[in-house]
Amino acid sequence: MIETGLAFLVALASGLVPIVNIELYLAGAAVALDDGALTAMALAAALGQTLGKLPYYYAGRGTLTAPWLRRRTRTPGKWAARAETWRRRAEARPVWGAGLLAVSSFASVPPFFVVAVLAGVVRMNVVLFCAITFTTRTARFLVVVLAPAWALSLLS
């Protein structure tokens, strides 16, 4: 139970501060815990990450003011041009935007915090944002915690 709560807190911090690595924490736990506890930790981590990405979403939506974000989007250059291109695509094709969010949330390519901001910019439904993020992050974290055990079982 304590491990699950800690996984939630580390994931929340990881969602807010990209240099905190929840995957490393979960991989370390995978060595010491059984599959049931690991599944609970993966779910808690997905919830923490989902909540941790909401401020990025709301910053993109304009609800939260983030001076660094405002500066980056106003500055002409490669980053602003790419963000504008992605924004236009996501607004024109909502399914494409949801797919981009799902891929980014699962694989972190493109960087998930950037896509979370983009989701706010295009005003993706917050419930859809949370549902996609929670589902794909759960899948990602289940792979992180269960893959080592599966790999070891194949070797024996």
Side-chain angles (χ1 to χ4, degrees), residues 22-39:
I22 183 60
E23 288 86 353
L24 186 61
Y25 178 83
L26 291 174
V31 174
L33 300 171
D34 63 21
D35 288 354
L38 293 174
T39 301

Side-chain angles (χ1 to χ4, degrees), residues 16-103:
L16 294 168
V17 183
I19 61 169
V20 176
N21 192 326
I22 183 60
E23 288 86 353
L24 186 61
Y25 178 83
L26 291 174
V31 174
L33 300 171
D34 63 21
D35 288 354
L38 293 174
T39 301
M41 287 180 69
L43 289 167
L47 180 60
Q49 277 271 301
T50 301
L51 295 175
K53 294 304 179 191
L54 278 174
Y56 289 102
Y57 169 87
Y58 283 116
R61 198 168 192 156
T63 306
L64 296 176
T65 57
W68 67 270
L69 179 63
R70 217 175 314 120
R71 233 182 359 263
R72 293 295 295 259
T73 56
R74 288 187 189 158
T75 305
K78 196 185 316 185
W79 192 91
R82 285 183 185 166
E84 179 60 24
T85 300
W86 287 23
R87 185 191 63 76
R88 276 188 268 124
R89 284 182 188 163
E91 284 179 343
R93 300 180 204 104
V95 173
W96 183 88
L100 176 65
L101 177 67
V103 167

Side-chain angles (χ1 to χ4, degrees), residues 8 66 71 144 146:
F8 172 80
R71 233 182 359 263
V144 169
L146 298 177

Side-chain angles (χ1 to χ4, degrees), residues 62-146:
T63 306
L64 296 176
T65 57
W68 67 270
L69 179 63
R70 217 175 314 120
R71 233 182 359 263
R72 293 295 295 259
T73 56
R74 288 187 189 158
T75 305
K78 196 185 316 185
W79 192 91
R82 285 183 185 166
E84 179 60 24
T85 300
W86 287 23
R87 185 191 63 76
R88 276 188 268 124
R89 284 182 188 163
E91 284 179 343
R93 300 180 204 104
V95 173
W96 183 88
L100 176 65
L101 177 67
V103 167
S104 178
S105 177
F106 183 78
S108 291
V109 176
F112 185 43
F113 80 93
V114 173
V115 176
V117 172
L118 177 65
V121 168
V122 300
R123 300 206 179 275
M124 177 182 281
N125 180 297
V126 70
V127 174
L128 180 63
F129 173 81
C130 289
I132 291 171
T133 299
F134 180 75
T135 302
T136 53
R137 283 280 146 165
T138 298
R140 175 186 176 96
F141 297 147
L142 283 172
V143 168
V144 169
V145 298
L146 298 177

